[in-house]
Amino acid sequence: MTFDLVLRSRRTVLPEGERPASVCVRDGRIAEIAPYEGVDGVDLEDVALLPGLVDTHVHVNEPGRTEWEGFATATRAAAAGGVTTIVDMPLNSLPPTVDAGALAVKRAAAEGQCHVDTGFWGGAIPGNAGELAALYDAGVFGFKAFLVDSGVPEFPPLSSAQLREALSAVDALFVIHAEDPAAIEPAAGSPHYADFVASRPPSAETGAVGTVVAAARETGRRMHVLHLSAAAALRSIVDAPNVTVETCPHYLTFTAEEVPDGATEYKCCPPIRDAANRDALWQGLASGAIDCVVSDHSPCTPDLKRADTGDFAAAWGGIASLQLGLPVVWTQATGRGFGLADVVRWMATRPAELVGLRRKGRIAVGYDADLVAFDPDAAFVVDAGRLRHRHPVTPYHGRALLGKVHTTWLRGSIVDGVTPRGRLLSRGAA
């Protein structure tokens, strides 16, 4: 039997765990999982072979704010980091993806530029409940909503009543930025990170998560809490029906205690919290209370980070990390006793399941041959200037990490960063 590609690794991460195996590819799909020995092919030896990661929380910003980030740069960065599928958020592009016409504009902007497969979220904002069914039929994977100011005027937050109106309009997955505006103090201009953290306390997240859980119980809709920072909120989610939750590499890595004053590249909302909270998030991953880890890649132009003043209140809130998620999480995970199979579950399998990508996130027969050669023992120091996203701004600059992506394959073809081979994905057809 002939194959288009065979990759052999002593550390192949399969659904049942890590073992030596050969992955045989035909017509862009995995056709067979064969023994490691006795099969001709590309031998990775002890370099691990992982399924391509699935990042369901990426802000590409094109069209309209392409100077912040665009499809070409974002997807090159994704592939360089072992991510073979992204799902783009409905903001901060102009127009935001809040109706079927805006989705068509977004897809036209992405066409022919993507180096990895790319899907799209729709947005739920005040007044567009009547647009959601048509937008869902047009192929978005679900709907994002904010319960607090989004940071851009064209994407305002929903009240509790407006959230329920949106939920009643369409039977879809809703992904929620869960912070309660009533618990947030207006942040005075300050270069002190402690002042910024104090302005967005854990109670802002726990209160908003309570709103999400109550809405899920009342309506029966599937709901997903985005970028959980406050581990205390997990108590409300664990026994909640139809509610899942994600966290991000920066919450699992950084601590509030280590953020220097004026270092606005660390600003994100909700904020990075203290070391005890970080450890509690890791406990949530270990217990299964947290379902997945995604980037929340949210870059901007360097001037919007206000490095000139170091003012956390004025700086744009978002962390650029799309290319670094795998080594960042692996660096922390291996030091805490987790293995590659755990990282694959959090960053590939579960995100794919969240959005219904039936052929992504696993090395298994019939799945897309989206694969990553990853050396888990290789160390490096992050140089922001060598990253593929548009602007060289990231809080990981100068940080020592463990694990290097050697090669990324999309449906059996090497992603070279030159020829875009990514497909635009639609719900139900992906």
Side-chain angles (χ1 to χ4, degrees):
M1 189 174 292
T2 59
F3 301 104
D4 303 322
L5 174 70
V6 175
L7 298 174
R8 306 170 59 223
S9 171
R10 296 189 185 97
R11 302 189 66 178
T12 303
V13 182
L14 301 169
E16 64 271 20
E18 182 182 324
R19 66 174 173 84
S22 298
V23 177
C24 308
V25 177
R26 185 186 304 112
D27 297 330
R29 301 267 183 93
I30 297 170
E32 183 179 341
I33 308 297
Y36 174 73
E37 301 292 349
V39 180
D40 292 331
V42 178
D43 192 356
L44 303 176
E45 299 180 341
D46 290 322
V47 171
L49 185 62
L50 317 182
L53 305 189
V54 177
D55 193 335
T56 54
H57 195 150
V58 179
H59 294 268
V60 176
N61 307 327
E62 185 176 4
R65 291 190 175 97
T66 311
E67 70 274 14
W68 294 17
E69 185 73 283
F71 285 103
T73 50
T75 57
R76 281 194 193 99
V83 177
T84 52
T85 304
I86 65 169
V87 186
D88 173 55
M89 283 293 170
L91 73 162
N92 303 300
S93 56
L94 294 169
T97 314
V98 294
D99 56 44
L103 176 63
V105 171
K106 176 72 74 78
R107 291 179 67 93
E111 189 70 46
Q113 291 205 76
C114 295
H115 296 270
V116 302
D117 286 357
T118 301
F120 304 94
W121 293 107
I125 62 173
N128 84 325
E131 304 286 347
L132 299 184
L135 183 51
Y136 197 51
D137 289 344
V140 297
F141 284 86
F143 297 95
K144 180 174 187 176
F146 279 77
L147 303 184
V148 69
D149 178 34
S150 72
V152 291
E154 67 275 3
F155 205 97
L158 300 180
S159 67
S160 294
Q162 290 166 334
L163 174 62
R164 283 166 172 77
E165 180 186 13
L167 292 170
S168 68
V170 60
D171 185 3
L173 172 64
F174 280 75
V175 299
I176 310 295
H177 182 125
E179 287 184 283
D180 179 358
I184 295 175
E185 297 290 336
S190 171
H192 302 303
Y193 186 71
D195 294 338
F196 172 64
V197 175
S199 74
R200 302 181 90 101
S203 60
E205 289 189 78
T206 57
V209 167
T211 297
V212 171
V213 169
R217 291 185 187 279
E218 178 182 324
T219 65
R221 293 290 191 251
R222 288 178 62 212
M223 301 187 74
H224 180 75
V225 175
L226 297 168
H227 48 48
L228 186 78
S229 164
L234 288 172
R235 290 193 291 269
S236 300
I237 298 171
V238 169
D239 297 321
N242 305 321
V243 180
T244 51
V245 60
E246 71 189 34
T247 193
C248 303
H250 40 277
Y251 300 130
L252 297 169
T253 299
F254 300 122
T255 65
E257 298 92 328
E258 70 181 283
V259 177
D261 286 347
T264 54
E265 64 270 22
Y266 288 85
K267 181 183 176 180
C268 56
C269 298
I272 295 160
R273 303 192 188 278
D274 61 30
N277 182 83
R278 178 189 62 183
D279 293 344
L281 291 175
W282 277 103
Q283 291 167 11
L285 279 170
S287 70
I290 296 175
D291 298 274
C292 50
V293 179
V294 292
S295 70
D296 189 13
H297 178 70
S298 185
C300 62
T301 53
D303 60 297
L304 293 178
K305 274 299 188 182
R306 299 308 301 269
D308 55 337
T309 64
D311 182 353
F312 278 98
W316 175 257
I319 285 180
S321 63
L322 182 56
Q323 186 172 334
L324 296 170
L326 177 55
V328 165
V329 173
W330 174 242
T331 299
Q332 293 291 319
T334 189
R336 294 171 181 266
F338 297 101
L340 286 173
D342 298 305
V343 174
V344 164
R345 183 172 66 254
W346 302 328
M347 302 186 77
T349 308
R350 285 182 176 170
E353 292 171 347
L354 174 73
V355 295
L357 289 167
R358 299 184 300 272
R359 296 196 300 269
K360 305 289 189 183
R362 295 173 183 260
I363 297 180
V365 172
Y367 278 64
D368 287 348
D370 299 347
L371 301 163
V372 180
F374 178 68
D375 185 347
D377 301 318
F380 71 103
V381 175
V382 177
D383 178 354
R386 296 176 65 86
L387 299 177
R388 302 291 186 89
H389 65 259
R390 188 175 294 280
H391 298 292
V393 178
T394 179
Y396 295 103
H397 177 66
R399 194 171 187 94
L401 297 177
L402 190 64
K404 280 187 176 181
V405 171
H406 282 201
T407 309
T408 299
W409 291 265
L410 181 67
R411 288 184 300 279
S413 295
I414 290 175
V415 183
D416 59 11
V418 176
T419 304
R421 294 189 178 92
R423 296 176 181 172
L424 304 187
L425 305 178
S426 295
R427 176 189 53 82

